[in-house]
Amino acid sequence: MSASSPTVTAREDMPLLRVEGLAIRFGQGEDEVRAVDGLDFEVAAGETVVLVGESGSGKSVASLAIPRLLPGTARITAGQVWFEGEDLLACPEARMRDVRGARIGLVFQEPQSSLNPIMTVGDQVGEVLVRHQGLRGAALRARVTELLEAVGIAEAARRLGDYPHQFSGGMKQRVMIAIALAGDPRLLIADEPTTALDVTLQAQVLELMRAEQRRRGMGMLFITHDLAVAHQIADRVLVMRKGRIVEQGTREAFYAAPRHEYSQQLFAALPSWEKRLAEGLRPTPSTDAETVLEVENLVVSYPVRSGFLRRLTGAVRAVDGVSLTIARGRTLAVVGESGCGKTTMGKGILRLAPLAGGRVNFEGVDLASLDARALRRARARLQVVFQDPFASMNPRMVVADIVKEGMDAQNIGTPAERARRVDELLEQVGLEARHARRYPHEFSGGQRQRICIARALAVEPRLLVCDEPTSALDVSVQAQILALLRDLQQRLGLSYLFVTHNIGVVAYLAHEVAVMRAGRIVEQGPVEEVLLRPRHDYTRQLLAAVPTIGARA
């Protein structure tokens, strides 16, 4: 807090944070949206309150209202936000600049977009210390180094001058936590801070946040759509739907017996081995099925250049001698931590990354030996569904043009036939033909992923490479996409190479699974065998890091 800030004394019987009757609107008249509709909750010092709900439930909007960071299109129409006895909604903006970063710390979902790409990590952490604590020079550098070491950044003093792109996703999230903690906040607001992380990094980040909370006595408002993560970190759980809290209770009471129908639906949507068995979907052994894809000793390497002249000084093997097979109508899941090479492997198979060695035999043809023209023809039978559906579509194209893009490139059918095919595909993936003239931004995340699946199916492929296609989706939307993929596989005989870090999705969908580490497959086999009776130490470590509705972190 700066010297000019007024002193506010909170009564001992008051919670650290109390939100009363909060209402937030977007738009006007018939277009008005009630994003938050009469929200009431409290957070005590040292307590973790988890807001659980799907996209559009209002949880992130509510969290942004607390530090007054709502977009200009939002209107707070009612309510009060009391923080340490002070109504933040009644404070002038100058006062809020003293509160943000000092008394309230913020950790956002996507560190890559939250960090400034042209500022060093040291400067970004130091910015808070300069603004709120007036540190300079050696004292500033020492405190920044201390904070980075506290969140687990190795060789922190050496890395102060590094930029965000020089850190992994997990390390960037640690930097974001260091920035949030720099001002010694009383309240930490964390909005989906682990959504994009693999299970081991997620476990590390959750433990880090818990440890810092215990050490500092902070209150924490944690926002997530992952019920397992909520179980790991919550003291109390609040379930939001359509701007309102429909259920709340202690962690123990909520997970023992969720009362509201919506809460029960969220639990029912969680993918798992048990759910698969309950639905009668136990995977059968692959016997006489035709082999669609056979990869032998695949190598993908990237050059390492250094010095002023950027001379080639070596190479990094991102994929180092990978071999696998996929049969018709089967799903092979590839799991592993961020940086293990699983996405690069998928790109190598598709010839979207340069191959340094190995064979990619697809339906009897070695893709590694094809020239550009022949490879373009082969890609009609080999398609990809990316992790981020919005980023993988042209925002200036309507859905009809996006879906028929592949048909246009492959010169499949007449214009009228392509138009009819677009309508058929949209209905096939659970959308409507009338959606064809809309733009991507007019759809939800789950609907956008359905559009991407329709685009991939347009050229009638035999194999789909699915790269984390459900990682950013809510549990109910994820369940819909998984059901869609399973239905399409059964009806069309599709094969899937499914890249993911979600073990629950693997257990529910896959027939076989391969575990990658440092560019190599360390274990592979039938999903039941690998997940329930793992042989490799790394596989056991990976499974142990998966958050479950069981023991707390």
Side-chain angles (χ1 to χ4, degrees):
M1 185 183 302
S2 67
S4 61
S5 301
T7 301
V8 178
T9 303
R11 299 197 317 268
E12 290 186 3
D13 61 338
M14 289 185 65
L16 178 67
L17 173 73
R18 185 171 74 233
V19 176
E20 297 180 343
L22 184 64
I24 302 171
R25 305 286 186 265
F26 287 85
Q28 301 282 347
E30 294 181 357
D31 296 327
E32 184 179 77
V33 175
R34 295 185 176 186
V36 176
D37 193 12
L39 193 64
D40 296 280
F41 70 90
E42 297 179 350
V43 180
E47 180 187 34
T48 299
V49 173
V50 177
L51 274 178
V52 174
E54 298 178 287
S55 297
S57 64
K59 58 188 189 297
S60 291
V61 173
S63 71
L64 289 173
I66 294 167
R68 301 247 305 266
L69 290 175
L70 287 169
T73 53
R75 293 175 290 113
I76 297 177
T77 58
Q80 293 174 306
V81 176
W82 294 96
F83 178 66
E84 294 188 317
E86 184 175 14
D87 184 5
L88 297 185
L89 301 187
C91 289
E93 179 57 26
R95 171 63 179 152
M96 288 305 302
R97 286 196 290 269
D98 290 327
V99 172
R100 298 187 202 107
R103 292 165 61 200
I104 298 178
L106 302 161
V107 182
F108 296 107
Q109 177 175 356
E110 180 45 68
Q112 181 63 40
S113 60
S114 301
L115 294 171
N116 189 327
I118 61 172
M119 284 180 67
T120 66
V121 161
D123 285 345
Q124 293 189 62
V125 178
E127 201 172 25
V128 180
L129 299 169
V130 172
R131 170 66 177 82
H132 295 290
Q133 297 180 13
L135 294 184
R136 297 286 191 281
L140 174 62
R141 182 181 178 86
R143 180 58 179 150
V144 171
T145 302
E146 182 184 348
L147 283 162
L148 291 177
E149 287 174 344
V151 298
I153 302 294
E155 300 181 85
R158 183 182 63 82
R159 304 210 67 179
L160 295 183
D162 288 350
Y163 291 86
H165 73 271
Q166 295 174 278
F167 291 78
S168 68
M171 290 298 105
K172 283 196 282 274
Q173 194 61 285
R174 288 170 182 265
V175 171
M176 282 294 301
I177 294 172
I179 293 171
L181 297 177
D184 291 323
R186 298 283 294 130
L187 174 69
L188 184 67
I189 299 175
D191 187 1
E192 300 275 11
T194 64
T195 296
L197 304 181
D198 58 56
V199 289
T200 52
L201 286 176
Q202 178 175 263
Q204 293 169 16
V205 168
L206 290 176
E207 179 51 39
L208 169 63
M209 296 178 76
R210 290 286 298 177
E212 288 298 319
Q213 181 189 33
R214 289 191 292 265
R215 189 169 71 83
R216 298 163 181 263
M218 293 185 305
M220 183 154 60
L221 178 62
F222 193 101
I223 293 125
T224 185
H225 64 252
D226 190 322
L227 289 170
V229 168
H231 184 274
Q232 295 293 95
I233 202 167
D235 292 309
R236 286 191 299 120
V237 178
L238 313 180
V239 181
M240 280 193 72
R241 187 187 190 194
K242 296 181 179 178
R244 297 185 176 185
I245 292 174
V246 297
E247 180 170 356
Q248 60 180 300
T250 65
R251 179 179 68 96
E252 292 76 12
F254 175 72
Y255 283 92
R259 302 184 306 275
H260 196 276
E261 181 183 2
Y262 176 67
S263 303
Q264 295 165 3
Q265 290 171 2
L266 292 179
F267 277 96
L270 290 171
S272 66
W273 179 252
E274 292 73 20
K275 181 181 179 182
R276 183 175 190 160
L277 295 182
E279 295 178 1
L281 299 170
R282 192 184 200 103
T284 55
S286 178
T287 52
D288 300 328
E290 170 195 359
T291 296
V292 173
L293 179 71
E294 184 176 10
V295 177
E296 296 180 2
N297 298 315
L298 187 71
V299 177
V300 179
S301 64
Y302 293 101
V304 175
R305 300 181 184 276
S306 59
F308 179 75
L309 298 177
R310 309 298 294 163
R311 287 194 173 96
L312 182 65
T313 57
V316 174
R317 286 197 168 198
V319 179
D320 191 9
V322 164
S323 299
L324 55 84
T325 60
I326 304 177
R328 182 163 312 287
R330 308 284 288 186
T331 299
L332 171 67
V334 181
V335 299
E337 298 173 286
S338 297
C340 71
K342 56 188 187 294
T343 293
T344 303
M345 180 201 66
K347 290 180 178 179
I349 290 170
L350 294 164
R351 291 278 307 275
L352 295 175
L355 301 184
R359 295 175 61 250
V360 181
N361 192 312
F362 176 63
E363 295 190 324
V365 176
D366 183 11
L367 299 182
S369 66
L370 298 182
D371 59 25
R373 189 171 184 177
L375 182 61
R376 183 175 181 177
R377 290 196 300 269
R379 281 183 175 149
R381 306 189 309 279
L382 186 69
Q383 291 290 298
V384 61
V385 179
F386 295 104
Q387 177 176 0
D388 186 340
F390 192 66
S392 63
M393 291 188 285
N394 189 330
R396 298 179 180 179
M397 292 172 64
V398 296
V399 165
D401 293 335
I402 290 170
V403 173
K404 71 184 181 71
E405 201 171 9
M407 292 187 283
D408 291 340
Q410 296 286 344
N411 198 28
I412 298 173
T414 65
E417 289 170 339
R418 294 174 200 170
R420 285 195 296 271
R421 177 70 173 146
V422 167
D423 292 347
E424 292 170 2
L425 286 164
L426 291 177
E427 292 176 358
Q428 196 171 44
V429 299
L431 298 174
E432 299 178 31
R434 63 186 177 86
H435 292 151
R437 305 312 304 173
R438 296 183 183 177
Y439 289 88
H441 72 270
E442 299 180 78
F443 296 87
S444 69
Q447 288 174 321
R448 286 197 286 261
Q449 197 60 286
R450 289 172 182 267
I451 294 167
C452 289
I453 293 171
R455 177 177 60 184
L457 295 176
V459 291
E460 299 185 352
R462 309 291 288 279
L463 173 70
L464 285 187
V465 176
C466 300
D467 187 6
E468 300 277 13
T470 63
S471 66
L473 303 181
D474 300 319
V475 288
S476 62
V477 178
Q478 176 181 260
Q480 295 167 15
I481 295 298
L482 294 178
L484 170 63
L485 290 172
R486 187 186 294 281
D487 177 61
L488 292 171
Q489 185 173 64
Q490 292 172 347
R491 287 194 287 116
L492 304 177
L494 290 171
S495 301
Y496 299 138
L497 176 64
F498 202 97
V499 175
T500 184
H501 63 248
N502 189 323
I503 302 299
V505 169
V506 174
Y508 182 74
L509 187 70
H511 297 92
E512 288 82 33
V513 59
V515 182
M516 282 193 75
R517 185 184 191 189
R520 298 183 177 185
I521 291 178
V522 298
E523 182 170 358
Q524 62 179 309
V527 63
E528 184 173 4
E529 180 180 320
V530 173
L531 296 189
L532 301 183
R533 295 178 294 277
R535 300 186 304 275
H536 198 278
D537 285 343
Y538 176 70
T539 307
R540 289 192 283 268
Q541 293 170 12
L542 202 63
L543 294 174
V546 176
T548 58
I549 300 176
R552 185 171 177 163

